[in-house]
Amino acid sequence: MRLYFVRHGESEANLLQEFSNRGVKHPLTAMGREQALALAQTLNGIAVTRIFASPILRAVQTAEIVAGELGLSYEVTDALREYDVGILEVRSDAASWQRYWEINDAWLVRHEWDARIEQGESFLDIRRRFVPFIDQLVHDGATNRVSNIVLVGHGGTYRCMLPLVLANIGFPFVLERGMGHTDVVVAELTADGLTCLTWGELSLNASGN
């Protein structure tokens, strides 16, 4: 069984540097649509069985393009959405981004799991919706031998959650590496649990830091 954790294509929110983690505004840019098409071509040689997407527009549109090219349907799940940044939503100023990265460090460096931006989600909130969903996919895959599931989500949520579900990846690893638009993290179910095989262009043969 393999899970393909995919970040969405470039969206208008990325160009505006605006927090847009609610609702259905800020669609993919022309570049984002090209990235999604290129992703579909990359996945075309894989026997993909299911596709899941975050409900946020940029992820849904990425999944629509990939699913259309592969001749599949896709399912929307709240488990994959980008985490809520509360009062920073729709903002794009430097102070708001500074606050965003402060919370990122609180979670991933100092392990202050209850920290949150006012009216936003804590690390524990994200974990409560993300980890059980992945655990269920792994259970179902091991039981029914379902393989090659594509999950279209977001860089922030993946940065926080993948170290919890991938046996050989830790927080220092993800802090050193980002996920570009439509980058793919490939994980395989092994005797040790879900194991990261590739992170974007990087192949892993040993434990993450």
Side-chain angles (χ1 to χ4, degrees):
M1 176 187 188
R2 288 190 176 184
L3 299 183
Y4 294 76
F5 296 95
V6 178
R7 188 184 174 199
H8 59 81
E10 180 190 76
S11 77
E12 291 179 358
N14 297 124
L15 297 185
L16 296 170
Q17 290 290 293
E18 180 177 319
F19 291 105
S20 181
N21 297 349
R22 302 173 183 168
V24 290
K25 60 181 179 177
H26 294 132
L28 293 179
T29 62
M31 174 62 73
R33 298 186 70 83
E34 290 178 8
Q35 291 168 338
L37 284 169
L39 171 64
Q41 292 173 1
T42 299
L43 296 173
N44 192 43
I46 300 166
V48 175
T49 53
R50 299 180 77 179
I51 300 173
F52 291 92
S54 153
I56 297 175
L57 182 58
R58 54 191 180 271
V60 168
Q61 289 184 331
T62 301
E64 283 178 344
I65 292 170
V66 172
E69 291 294 311
L70 298 183
L72 297 171
S73 60
Y74 67 93
E75 304 167 61
V76 173
T77 174
D78 197 56
L80 296 177
R81 67 177 169 80
E82 186 62 293
Y83 65 82
D84 196 311
V85 294
I87 62 172
L88 300 188
E89 183 74 7
V90 310
R91 296 184 184 179
S92 59
D93 58 283
S96 294
W97 278 101
Q98 180 178 349
R99 178 58 177 152
Y100 172 86
W101 289 114
E102 286 172 353
I103 289 295
N104 183 83
D105 287 348
W107 292 342
L108 306 190
V109 177
R110 299 191 298 278
H111 299 170
E112 297 171 1
W113 310 126
D114 286 321
R116 71 180 72 227
I117 297 162
E118 186 179 351
Q119 299 176 22
E121 288 185 290
S122 71
F123 184 95
L124 297 178
D125 292 330
I126 309 166
R127 187 177 72 182
R128 274 190 285 269
R129 59 179 167 83
F130 185 90
V131 173
F133 174 73
I134 300 300
D135 287 346
Q136 188 63 54
L137 288 182
V138 170
H139 175 269
D140 293 346
T143 302
N144 303 319
R145 297 185 179 181
V146 176
S147 59
N148 299 331
I149 298 174
V150 174
L151 306 158
V152 184
H154 304 268
T157 293
Y158 284 154
R159 182 173 58 248
C160 295
M161 293 292 107
L162 290 186
L164 301 185
V165 299
L166 301 182
N168 59 332
I169 293 297
F171 292 120
F173 178 94
V174 298
L175 284 168
E176 292 176 4
R177 296 164 181 85
M179 282 186 75
H181 294 118
T182 61
D183 271 358
V184 182
V185 172
V186 182
E188 184 172 65
L189 183 59
T190 69
D192 295 323
L194 273 180
T195 301
C196 183
L197 302 180
T198 60
W199 185 285
E201 298 297 320
L202 177 67
S203 295
L204 278 74
N205 296 312
S207 296
N209 296 318

